[in-house]
Amino acid sequence: MMQTRETTANLRITALLIVASVCVGTAAALALQSPLGLKAALPVLVLPPLLLAVLIAGSRPRRYILSLRWWHALWALLLISGLTLRVRGVEQIQENPADPAALFRIGLVCTVAAAVLLKGTIGRGGLHRNLSRGLVAPLTCYALFGVFSTIWSVYPAWTLYRSVEYLVDIALIATIIGSLRSAEDYKRFFDWTWILFACLLGSVWLGVLLRPDEAIRHGVGVTGIQIHGVFPVISENGTGDLGAILAAVAIGRLLFTKENRKLFLALLLVSLATLVLAYSRTPLTAFFLAVMVMLYAGRRLTLLTALLAGMGIAGVSPLGQFLWEFFRRGQSMELFFSLSGRVYWWEYLWDVFRENPIFGLGAYAGGRFVVLDALGAGLSSSVHNTFLEVVIGSGLVGLVILLAGLGGTWWHLLRANNLTGRGTLEHYLTIEALGLLTIETFRAFFTSGPVIWHPAIRFLLVIGYAEFLRQNLKNKTLFGQTHSLKAGVE
């Protein structure tokens, strides 16, 4: 009976997604009435049928598609809704907050929200219970406080929408966690996310091949070039993030599993090439930190020692000067040590923050519409620091709530790393999650995207897995088992 009810729920949600996606995609194309409109509709109208055709082509893909569930589609729609289809400044936002591209984004977010509400109504436990427990609870409180800050926000409409949008993200991950029953389920969740990220990485290289005049910046540092995504728009830092994350995943799979080694070796090479050619320093640094954390968590101390020794030798050898010039990227010493001008933004932000330290100026609004607007940097979407973005928008109250969620995630992953047996699927996924969390935490000091902005796909994936571990540790249903990757683990 329960199986029939679950199947009916999945069918209803799948039907809703198909109808809503086609409607939203068609509406975007008609609303924009331009090549951009067709491009905006393309991911929704063309990608799903194309993906289905590729997956159904062979027997193993057919088995894979049969294992797909409702949340696979929702997770993909959430990612698509966060793609940047155009860049606009503060004045354009204030003149026309809901332009066609924004309506396209809103439509997809509403589709996800409707599906989550439907699932929460007919599923087990209820949405409110999933949102109010464990590591998800601090994020729920953070989003709700953002909604509440609409009362005093410098731009109430912006604060309200961005806070609700982030709440939808949290509601989705909370609902997915409530639906996953095993480590194998969560591995499929990881795999699906990396497939989506690989598609984004492919879009960057497609732009490099088809539109090199737009996708490649020339005259940058010692390499002379810097690549980024053209459509969707992905900044150099965002491109570097994709390379860092997928390279870390590939290294983890090669070191700790016996999965398709040729596939992950190819992914590693492409990701490293992307990371270097994006020429973004913080993703590159975050990648090396993630590898070190993964080696330590996986008890590969010999490799970790060799890596540290190699980095030390490279630093004091003639190669060190080249690496320094590479890292400096042709900037003056003043600009380099000001973190490409970020420090000047942060100094001004600190002066503004001291006037409203407790509650801030309104979630998501203080940084962009007060600090950056005053500094003449209206085209920038954030102050490039998650924690400062939080304090200027939501004050110290919001920062404390966010740190509770972030700190709790670190605590539970590190604890699980000590409790799970070496060679088990749970232990490998914990290693991968720690690597990803290292990248997200380090990058949070230099950007606002990974943790608090829609769609916080990577951060929510890790939060979800940490909560999955927490629940199973509490119930003592996971750590005594010896699950292994189907392809085998070392």
Side-chain angles (χ1 to χ4, degrees):
M1 185 67 177
M2 185 64 69
Q3 184 79 18
T4 303
R5 189 175 301 173
E6 183 74 15
T7 301
T8 303
N10 288 336
L11 288 174
R12 288 179 180 176
I13 293 173
T14 301
L16 172 65
L17 289 173
I18 292 174
V19 174
S21 298
V22 172
C23 290
V24 170
T26 305
L30 295 175
L32 291 174
Q33 294 181 346
S34 67
L36 178 60
L38 296 177
K39 291 178 181 178
L42 192 63
V44 176
L45 294 176
V46 177
L47 188 58
L50 185 61
L51 183 61
L52 290 178
V54 171
L55 290 176
I56 295 173
S59 58
R60 293 181 66 183
R62 277 200 296 270
R63 287 198 298 271
Y64 179 78
I65 196 171
L66 289 175
S67 71
L68 295 179
R69 300 175 63 188
W70 58 269
W71 52 263
H72 286 90
L74 287 178
W75 199 243
L77 286 184
L78 196 71
L79 180 65
I80 293 172
S81 70
L83 299 180
T84 302
L85 305 178
R86 49 84 183 96
V87 178
R88 56 180 182 162
V90 170
E91 292 183 0
Q92 289 84 0
I93 293 174
Q94 292 174 334
E95 290 175 2
N96 186 16
D99 67 352
L103 291 175
F104 175 74
R105 173 183 178 130
I106 293 170
L108 291 183
V109 172
C110 289
T111 300
V112 174
V116 168
L117 288 174
L118 179 60
K119 180 65 178 176
T121 302
I122 60 181
R124 294 183 230 172
L127 180 59
H128 67 282
R129 182 171 180 268
N130 292 328
L131 284 170
S132 60
R133 63 176 178 174
L135 296 172
V136 178
L139 295 185
T140 304
C141 291
Y142 176 78
L144 291 176
F145 183 75
V147 173
F148 184 67
S149 72
T150 301
I151 298 173
W152 61 83
S153 174
V154 295
Y155 197 155
W158 187 265
T159 293
L160 178 62
Y161 174 71
R162 296 304 292 264
S163 299
V164 170
E165 195 175 51
Y166 190 58
L167 185 60
V168 171
D169 295 0
I170 299 166
L172 176 58
I173 192 63
T175 306
I176 292 175
I177 296 170
S179 301
L180 301 181
R181 295 289 175 262
S182 67
E184 286 80 5
D185 286 342
Y186 224 100
K187 181 181 180 296
R188 283 192 285 269
F189 192 11
F190 272 75
D191 291 343
W192 180 245
T193 304
W194 306 145
I195 289 172
L196 296 176
F197 274 45
C199 290
L200 285 181
L201 188 66
S203 76
V204 172
W205 284 101
L206 193 62
V208 170
L209 293 174
L210 300 181
R211 299 300 301 271
D213 54 324
E214 296 183 26
I216 303 175
R217 287 181 56 200
H218 294 276
V220 182
V222 297
T223 66
I225 63 172
Q226 192 174 27
I227 66 172
H228 59 272
V230 175
F231 194 90
V233 179
I234 304 176
S235 68
E236 290 84 359
N237 283 332
T239 301
D241 278 340
L242 287 174
I245 290 165
L246 292 176
V249 169
I251 286 179
R253 301 288 173 103
L254 290 169
L255 286 178
F256 301 106
T257 79
K258 295 179 181 178
E259 290 190 79
N260 191 327
R261 291 186 176 275
K262 292 182 180 180
L263 173 65
F264 284 104
L265 179 59
L267 178 63
L268 175 62
L269 294 176
V270 173
S271 300
L272 287 177
T274 305
L275 184 57
V276 172
L277 294 178
Y279 212 161
S280 183
R281 294 169 293 202
T282 53
L284 187 61
T285 306
F287 165 71
F288 280 108
L289 290 175
V291 171
M292 288 188 280
V293 169
M294 293 171 70
L295 290 175
Y296 179 79
R299 283 97 166 173
R300 297 297 184 90
L301 300 184
T302 302
L303 279 177
L304 176 59
T305 303
L307 175 63
L308 292 174
M311 293 173 65
I313 294 173
V316 299
S317 69
L319 182 61
Q321 182 61 33
F322 172 79
L323 294 176
W324 165 248
E325 291 300 326
F326 175 87
F327 208 71
R328 194 162 66 91
R329 208 170 63 192
Q331 293 180 336
S332 66
M333 296 301 292
E334 179 183 358
L335 187 59
F336 176 78
F337 285 109
S338 70
L339 303 178
S340 300
R342 288 180 175 90
V343 172
Y344 303 132
W345 291 6
W346 298 345
E347 288 174 348
Y348 181 77
L349 181 147
W350 183 253
D351 293 334
V352 176
F353 160 73
R354 288 187 298 177
E355 299 176 4
N356 303 273
I358 305 301
F359 300 112
L361 300 172
Y364 302 100
R368 185 164 197 177
F369 296 100
V370 175
V371 175
L372 296 179
D373 191 34
L375 294 173
L379 285 178
S380 181
S381 59
S382 73
V383 297
H384 293 297
N385 183 298
T386 296
F387 309 108
L388 293 179
E389 190 78 45
V390 170
V391 296
I392 196 64
S394 302
L396 292 175
V397 174
L399 182 63
V400 169
I401 297 172
L402 181 67
L403 289 178
L406 181 61
T409 303
W410 272 106
W411 166 260
H412 284 287
L413 286 179
L414 291 172
R415 187 184 184 199
N417 186 62
N418 293 325
L419 292 174
T420 52
R422 186 176 181 180
T424 62
L425 175 56
E426 294 83 4
H427 188 232
Y428 168 70
L429 291 179
T430 302
I431 293 172
E432 190 163 291
L434 281 169
L436 181 58
L437 187 59
T438 300
I439 293 175
E440 299 303 278
T441 303
F442 181 79
R443 287 284 289 134
F445 288 96
F446 303 96
T447 184
S448 304
V451 176
I452 62 170
W453 278 19
H454 168 85
I457 294 287
R458 289 128 42 182
F459 182 60
L460 293 178
L461 179 70
V462 177
I463 283 274
Y465 184 63
E467 174 60 16
F468 171 79
L469 292 173
R470 187 196 70 83
Q471 292 178 15
N472 283 280
L473 176 62
K474 180 180 178 181
N475 298 329
K476 299 181 180 180
T477 59
L478 180 65
F479 298 100
Q481 301 177 17
T482 57
H483 297 298
S484 295
L485 290 169
K486 292 180 179 180
V489 294
E490 293 181 346

